[in-house]
Amino acid sequence: MKKILVVDDDRAHAMMLKTLMTDWGYQVLLADDGIIGVEMVKAQPFDLILMDMKMVKMSGMEALQHIKAYNPSLPVIIMTAYSSVQTAIKALKIGAYDYLTKPLDFDKLKLTIERIFESIFLKTENQDLKTRLKARSFDHDIIGKSPAILSLLDTIHMVAPTDANVLVTGESGTGKELVSSAIHFNSLRKDQPFVRINCAAITETLLESELFGHEKGAFTGADRRRKGKFLLADKGSILLDEIGEMSLGMQAKLLRVIQEKEITPVGSDQNINTDVRIIAATNKDLKKWSEQEKFRQDLYYRLNVVTVEIPALRERKEDIPTLALHFLEMFAKKNKRDIKGFSPDAMDAMIRYGWEGNVRELMNSVERGVVLARSDFICLEDLSFATIKEADSIDAGTDFGNIRLSQVEQKAILSTLESAGGNKSEAARRLGITRKTLFKKLKQYGKI
């Protein structure tokens, strides 16, 4: 049943609308002021808002702005006196779906609601929600307008022009490489190379060669001389991603490079001067690791001249609509799908969800939604996290009739893994969960 919120400080008028729309088959809740209406929208999902323009504590216009900032996909119909039509037109410009003049034409009201629910969703969202935030006059691809992102951009703006080494921290999927790129391309080294290397993706024996290069014949398979990443990044910047995965032995060699500003290729006794700014990234607590002697403390302090901490997506939920719309546009174009937006309940679910995998998980979920959408809009059922993750949060012993929820979940995960040919990354993508969650589940099932 579709749920409608009526925001009107005229109690008699609101009760009349509730009775009328309940007879039409809708669930109707009431709020007697704009402030309460905004609070109710944030507390629970609605499919439609019917709101009076003139209210004492908070006007309909102000409440509309708050609601659209929270969930831009939620349709709002404005009710206004004939004398205030110009104000209603202004409301349309900031995101209202439609307006109706008082006294209401109930047939027109019914048709307007049906028109919204037939297409179910909003018109294509305003272009300003797809525009990337430019909080400062510098180049970056970081999307968001929350206080947390504004603070992050401010930090990058201050740090980038310096030559200090930077430690970028944040949970997996928060965008550490994106932030690192913003630091480099807004620095004085922006016209010089920006070289990236994932320290976790290369074996310890090969990492030294990758970083510092090697001479011909230095080891089996070294059939030619090769420059390392530090030489390739000379005069520019190097991103040492997943620095926490580097062995203590390699850490000692990296520390020497930072201190001496020179590298020694494997198999060579020649020291080569380098001028490289180091940007290190990690999802580990390196301070804690250094105290536990899992990471060299002297290297930690060398890398941690400035720390740039990226907030988790759950700490900046107001950015979720903007990010979701950006990914929707990107993947719709990539997959040649004419997807216009999200259903209100789909957007509401995304806003409320915890996003353990952060922006990367959101991106994967939107891509899946674009591929599987059965209409011009992505619905809640197209976002698999809404079912898989809800099941994950309920006690595995919960019994619904004769079927255990854990059995349903296990069957869904294993069948998806099988259909993906055993490819765990692809299975996790299709399920809309992180690889970490998938591995945890497979371990529970005794499959790994």
Side-chain angles (χ1 to χ4, degrees):
M1 182 184 292
K2 298 295 185 184
K3 188 160 63 173
I4 298 175
L5 175 64
V6 176
V7 187
D8 192 344
D9 59 1
D10 183 338
R11 180 71 178 174
H13 190 252
M15 287 299 298
M16 180 268 293
L17 287 173
K18 179 176 181 179
T19 301
L20 187 67
M21 292 188 291
T22 299
D23 288 342
W24 293 343
Y26 302 119
Q27 180 185 355
V28 182
L29 278 69
L30 304 180
D32 61 8
D33 186 74
I35 295 174
I36 297 172
V38 172
E39 290 174 350
M40 289 179 69
V41 167
K42 292 182 178 180
Q44 59 185 300
F46 289 95
D47 297 290
L48 175 69
I49 309 296
L50 184 61
M51 184 159 59
D52 193 22
M53 183 61 73
K54 287 191 71 175
M55 291 180 285
V56 177
K57 296 179 182 177
M58 178 185 282
S59 70
M61 184 70 73
E62 190 177 352
L64 173 65
Q65 291 173 324
H66 284 290
I67 289 169
K68 300 305 288 185
Y70 176 75
N71 185 348
S73 288
L74 184 57
V76 180
I77 299 175
I78 293 293
M79 299 180 291
T80 186
Y82 182 77
S83 60
S84 302
V85 167
Q86 287 301 117
T87 307
I89 292 172
K90 182 179 177 183
L92 294 180
K93 291 180 179 179
I94 64 172
Y97 184 89
D98 204 346
Y99 73 91
L100 300 173
T101 56
K102 291 182 175 180
L104 296 183
D105 179 332
F106 297 139
D107 289 335
K108 186 174 181 181
L109 172 62
K110 187 176 182 181
L111 285 172
T112 301
I113 294 173
E114 287 174 352
R115 186 171 71 247
I116 291 172
F117 289 150
E118 272 171 12
S119 66
I120 302 181
F121 322 110
L122 285 171
K123 298 176 285 186
T124 304
E125 288 80 357
N126 291 337
Q127 190 61 39
D128 63 301
L129 291 172
K130 300 178 182 179
T131 303
R132 297 180 179 183
L133 179 65
K134 297 293 181 182
R136 290 284 191 274
S137 57
F138 68 104
D139 296 326
H140 64 85
D141 291 317
I142 300 166
I143 300 172
K145 56 186 177 181
S146 64
I149 286 298
L150 290 176
S151 177
L152 174 66
L153 291 172
D154 190 49
T155 301
I156 294 171
H157 188 253
M158 291 187 293
V159 169
T162 74
D163 215 30
N165 292 335
V166 181
L167 180 63
V168 180
T169 65
E171 296 178 6
S172 293
T174 50
K176 292 186 288 295
E177 185 169 342
L178 203 62
V179 168
S180 301
S181 295
I183 292 170
H184 170 75
F185 288 107
N186 290 281
S187 72
L188 299 177
R189 298 171 180 262
K190 64 182 179 182
D191 296 323
Q192 301 301 323
F194 179 47
V195 178
R196 306 163 178 84
I197 184 167
N198 188 327
C199 300
I202 305 171
T203 62
E204 181 180 349
T205 53
L206 290 178
L207 185 57
E208 182 178 4
S209 170
E210 286 290 323
L211 289 175
F212 311 136
H214 62 253
E215 295 294 328
K216 181 178 179 180
F219 51 83
T220 303
D223 54 356
R224 60 185 175 87
R225 185 174 182 271
R226 181 181 179 185
K227 287 185 177 181
K229 301 294 186 184
F230 269 85
L231 272 186
L232 294 174
D234 193 40
K235 302 293 188 296
S237 307
I238 187 168
L239 169 60
L240 302 177
D241 200 5
E242 304 291 354
I243 188 72
E245 303 300 325
M246 185 178 286
S247 70
L248 291 171
M250 271 304 303
Q251 289 176 34
K253 293 174 181 177
L254 176 60
L255 178 63
R256 179 187 171 279
V257 170
I258 296 173
Q259 291 173 334
E260 305 298 331
K261 296 189 180 299
E262 60 182 27
I263 57 104
T264 305
V266 177
S268 172
D269 56 7
Q270 180 185 6
N271 297 327
I272 304 173
N273 293 330
T274 61
D275 175 17
V276 178
R277 183 187 195 180
I278 297 176
I279 304 172
T282 183
N283 59 5
K284 310 292 186 187
D285 185 346
L286 291 191
K287 186 176 189 299
K288 184 177 179 180
W289 276 35
S290 67
E291 291 168 354
Q292 297 174 350
E293 298 185 352
K294 295 179 181 178
F295 195 88
R296 289 186 65 106
Q297 197 168 60
D298 45 7
L299 177 58
Y300 168 69
Y301 287 119
R302 284 284 187 172
L303 295 173
N304 188 33
V305 176
V306 178
T307 298
V308 176
E309 186 172 355
I310 308 174
L313 189 55
R314 62 181 173 276
E315 296 170 0
R316 53 183 187 106
K317 286 182 175 289
E318 56 266 59
D319 289 331
I320 291 173
T322 307
L323 285 162
L325 292 169
H326 168 73
F327 293 138
L328 172 65
E329 184 178 21
M330 181 172 72
F331 290 121
K333 183 177 181 180
K334 174 185 173 183
N335 292 284
K336 296 180 173 58
R337 295 293 310 274
D338 185 21
I339 308 295
K340 295 182 173 62
F342 297 89
S343 69
D345 59 346
M347 181 64 80
D348 190 86
M350 288 192 293
I351 292 168
R352 296 176 192 280
Y353 182 56
W355 299 111
E356 180 185 340
N358 291 290
V359 178
R360 185 183 296 125
E361 185 183 1
L362 172 62
M363 182 174 68
N364 290 342
S365 292
V366 173
E367 182 178 16
R368 180 186 187 278
V370 167
V371 172
L372 298 181
R374 297 167 181 81
S375 70
D376 292 343
F377 294 83
I378 294 177
C379 304
L380 184 59
E381 57 265 30
D382 300 323
L383 302 170
S384 62
F385 74 83
T387 53
I388 294 295
K389 282 303 183 89
E390 284 172 9
D392 188 33
S393 66
I394 300 175
D395 190 328
T398 303
D399 197 330
F400 296 92
N402 296 320
I403 303 174
R404 284 185 178 273
L405 184 59
S406 59
Q407 294 173 331
V408 177
E409 179 192 83
Q410 180 175 346
K411 184 176 180 180
I413 290 175
L414 293 180
S415 62
T416 302
L417 181 62
E418 183 179 355
S419 68
N423 186 318
K424 295 180 179 62
S425 295
E426 174 62 17
R429 189 190 70 80
R430 293 183 187 180
L431 289 164
I433 61 177
T434 63
R435 277 174 56 88
K436 180 180 177 182
T437 298
L438 178 60
F439 273 94
K440 183 179 77 172
K441 290 297 178 184
L442 292 176
K443 190 173 182 180
Q444 287 178 4
Y445 307 150
K447 299 299 180 180
I448 56 174

